[in-house]
Amino acid sequence: MKRSQLFTKTSKTVPGDEQARNAQLLIRAGFIYKVMAGVYAYTPLGLRVLEKIKQIVREEMNAVAGQELIMTNLQPRETWEPTSRWDDEVVDVWFKTKLKDDTEIGLAWSHEEAIIEMMKQHLNSYKDLPISVYQFQVKLRNELRAKSGIMRGREFIMKDMYSMAVDAKQHDEYYDSVKEAYKRVYDRLGIGKDTYVTYASGGAFTKFSHEFQTICDAGEDVIYLHRGKNIAINEEVLEESIQELGIKREELEAVKSSEVGNIFNFGTDKSEQMDFTFTNEAGERQFVHLGSYGIGITRLMGVIVEKLADEKGMVWPKNIAPVQVYLVSVGGTDLVREHSEALYQGLTRAGIEVLYDDRDVRPGEKFADADLMGIPYRVVVSEKTIASDQYEVKARTADEPQLLDKESLIKMVAQKSS
Ligand code: ATP
Ligand code: MG
């Protein structure tokens, strides 16, 4: 990708209407566009990050036999009435509208009931189970406050997965496998060591549900950590858990965090409400055991910005950076242009994603943009580097650049971990 062809511009000015650092940086770097509070568009660079996060999640959900699908944003009232969740008193984030003939419809803030409604047509026998389905979908929620940038959207992307099992045992096995899959997701996103499986208020069926909370000053939650025992508890269930887990209040440390995912066991509650059944071996109708598993895709992107950014801008982990290399040509001579173009082609052929800053602007401006955008490596081509038959390479988090030949450069950039 060439910078001269990228339509988005960077900006030095912090947007005045934006308090959240994640949104400030993402807007300034041209990764997102703010439409209104809590509503953001993802421009080419931002979309690349989003797609990479999704791909990591997708691979891990596929690894636990999740089947990907996509549900709809428009929802009929009938689907949500059996569980009382059409009622605005019960669910206070609905956006609702009407068809031309005055039929009331809702815009999906969740797809739990929607998925069950569909699965009723496909699930008959115990032989069909277990089943797990998931999607990446836009959720629309009329959130009261939207001041955390992309960490709390009124329109945001969630990965939501739903599991169906014959009984509690089959459910629990699957639930545990998803818990492990989630840990792999956060590890691969570079926030594993700060992300805690956290006791939270229960699903319908169990005393506690599990949230995945990432330590983050910009987060809206507070969790209590027991570092010795590696236990984390959401403040909303603190007293209950202290008793249950046999730990002491003084041993816990309160930290701010952001909920990047959660997993629920519904038992058979929802299936009973929605009459969702299968036939067991003895030919009897049984209620399906349900689980629900969310990951906030766009929120994760915001959390990663918040956690890793420094005074110069964003810092993306290698495996979700929009590109690996920000290529800077210094000086406008034909020689520099030719060498830069050749390196751009060479890196691209080697499978490395490059943003080539081919613009006729001061080098300082290009360096500042490379830092603001958080690209893992900045590579400079100048008369000087050409003379030495090397390239000047600086990792985003390194203090000093180093000179490398093309082969070593490719090797360094292509390395797996960040
Ligand atoms: P929260 O307590 O933060 O409102 P929630 O309990 O409403 O979250 P769920 O409905 O279970 O969350 O959604 C699953 C995941 O989607 C959450 O763990 C979170 O990562 C993400 N999420 C929820 N609401 C938002 C939002 N408004 N904007 C961005 N991500 C969100
Ligand atoms: Mg919520």
Side-chain angles (χ1 to χ4, degrees):
M1 198 180 349
K2 289 189 181 173
R3 191 61 206 279
S4 60
Q5 291 166 356
L6 189 66
F7 79 85
T8 51
K9 306 276 187 295
T10 56
S11 158
K12 291 191 181 68
T13 326
V14 178
D17 60 343
E18 195 61 74
Q19 306 166 8
R21 184 160 159 76
N22 67 83
Q24 290 176 352
L25 288 170
L26 288 161
I27 290 168
R28 284 183 50 211
F31 281 50
I32 63 172
Y33 165 73
K34 184 176 191 174
V35 178
M36 56 178 138
V39 182
Y40 300 90
Y42 289 77
T43 41
L45 294 174
L47 182 63
R48 289 174 85 102
V49 177
L50 211 53
E51 289 300 324
K52 287 184 183 186
I53 296 174
K54 280 166 66 178
Q55 187 54 26
I56 288 173
V57 174
R58 177 178 286 126
E59 285 168 17
E60 297 300 342
M61 297 307 107
N62 289 347
V64 290
Q67 300 178 49
E68 188 171 352
L69 50 75
I70 190 156
M71 302 301 290
T72 68
N73 288 131
L74 301 185
Q75 292 292 317
R77 173 192 189 119
E78 297 73 40
T79 302
W80 296 83
E81 270 176 345
T83 58
S84 310
R85 296 215 294 179
W86 180 259
D87 189 342
D88 293 313
E89 305 267 296
V90 178
V91 171
D92 63 1
V93 292
W94 271 117
F95 284 109
K96 288 180 181 168
T97 185
K98 280 182 180 160
L99 300 179
K100 294 275 189 205
D101 68 0
D102 270 356
T103 310
E104 229 192 334
I105 56 165
L107 307 183
W109 61 278
S110 155
H111 288 88
E112 276 160 2
E113 279 77 343
I115 295 254
I116 295 171
E117 194 60 34
M118 182 189 72
M119 293 308 290
K120 279 162 89 170
Q121 283 191 19
H122 293 275
L123 177 58
N124 301 310
S125 151
Y126 69 96
K127 289 181 198 155
D128 296 330
L129 294 167
I131 299 174
S132 171
V133 297
Y134 75 96
Q135 64 173 347
F136 297 95
Q137 240 303 15
V138 170
K139 301 283 189 261
L140 297 153
R141 293 188 184 179
N142 202 347
E143 300 274 5
L144 186 60
R145 273 177 288 276
K147 293 184 176 166
S148 299
I150 62 167
M151 289 169 65
R152 183 168 297 283
R154 296 198 163 102
E155 177 169 336
F156 63 96
I157 297 173
M158 191 198 289
K159 183 284 303 177
D160 43 329
M161 183 158 81
Y162 306 89
S163 70
M164 288 139 261
V166 289
D167 56 18
K169 181 169 174 288
Q170 192 179 63
H171 167 85
D172 290 348
E173 272 168 28
Y174 190 72
Y175 185 93
D176 289 339
S177 75
V178 177
K179 204 194 271 179
E180 294 309 312
Y182 270 41
K183 289 181 191 164
R184 289 194 294 275
V185 165
Y186 302 117
D187 279 342
R188 290 177 66 182
L189 293 174
I191 54 170
K193 73 171 177 20
D194 276 348
T195 302
Y196 286 83
V197 182
T198 305
Y199 290 94
S201 54
F205 206 63
T206 46
K207 191 151 195 177
F208 301 112
S209 70
H210 293 109
E211 290 174 347
F212 289 78
Q213 293 273 0
T214 305
I215 297 176
C216 179
D217 288 338
E220 295 179 9
D221 291 355
V222 173
I223 58 169
Y224 286 81
L225 285 183
H226 191 299
R227 293 201 189 255
K229 291 189 171 161
N230 205 29
I231 290 173
I233 305 165
N234 192 312
E235 62 177 345
E236 64 186 21
V237 291
L238 191 59
E239 291 315 318
E240 225 180 332
S241 334
I242 286 176
Q243 286 175 20
E244 185 88 5
L245 301 168
I247 47 178
K248 296 199 183 74
R249 173 71 185 80
E250 322 68 91
E251 297 165 350
L252 299 172
E253 175 192 342
V255 291
K256 290 191 77 179
S257 65
S258 177
E259 183 193 318
V260 291
N262 58 23
I263 56 180
F264 283 104
N265 177 1
F266 284 126
T268 55
D269 278 14
K270 235 184 228 303
S271 300
E272 288 174 35
Q273 289 170 324
M274 294 187 72
D275 194 28
F276 184 28
T277 61
F278 67 98
T279 312
N280 71 6
E281 243 169 307
E284 300 152 350
R285 300 301 288 170
Q286 304 264 299
F287 290 113
V288 180
H289 281 250
L290 285 169
S292 168
Y293 315 83
I295 289 184
I297 299 293
T298 41
R299 178 177 292 180
L300 264 172
M301 182 169 161
V303 168
I304 292 167
V305 173
E306 294 278 350
K307 285 187 73 67
L308 301 182
D310 62 17
E311 68 290 344
K312 291 186 225 147
M314 301 187 287
V315 177
W316 292 109
K318 236 175 170 176
N319 52 359
I320 57 166
V323 295
Q324 304 307 306
V325 168
Y326 195 97
L327 175 59
V328 176
S329 61
V330 170
T333 63
D334 285 349
L335 184 71
V336 167
R337 249 194 297 275
E338 273 164 33
H339 276 260
S340 303
E341 182 70 32
L343 182 62
Y344 172 56
Q345 300 294 344
L347 292 176
T348 307
R349 266 197 306 276
I352 293 168
E353 298 160 306
V354 183
L355 182 56
Y356 169 25
D357 198 339
D358 57 338
R359 296 171 307 161
D360 188 15
V361 300
R362 286 184 306 107
E365 201 170 315
K366 297 184 180 183
F367 293 169
D369 276 2
D371 284 342
L372 174 63
M373 290 178 182
I375 310 304
Y377 296 99
R378 184 190 80 196
V379 177
V380 175
V381 176
S382 66
E383 298 273 355
K384 206 176 95 196
T385 68
I386 295 167
S388 71
D389 206 18
Q390 288 182 311
Y391 302 100
E392 187 195 288
V393 185
K394 193 181 97 56
R396 173 65 178 79
T397 49
D399 292 328
E400 297 295 333
Q402 57 188 122
L403 286 171
L404 294 177
D405 60 25
K406 190 170 158 193
E407 204 181 316
S408 318
L409 162 63
I410 290 179
K411 213 168 136 200
M412 183 174 183
V413 174
Q415 250 169 25
K416 271 270 175 273
S417 67
S418 47

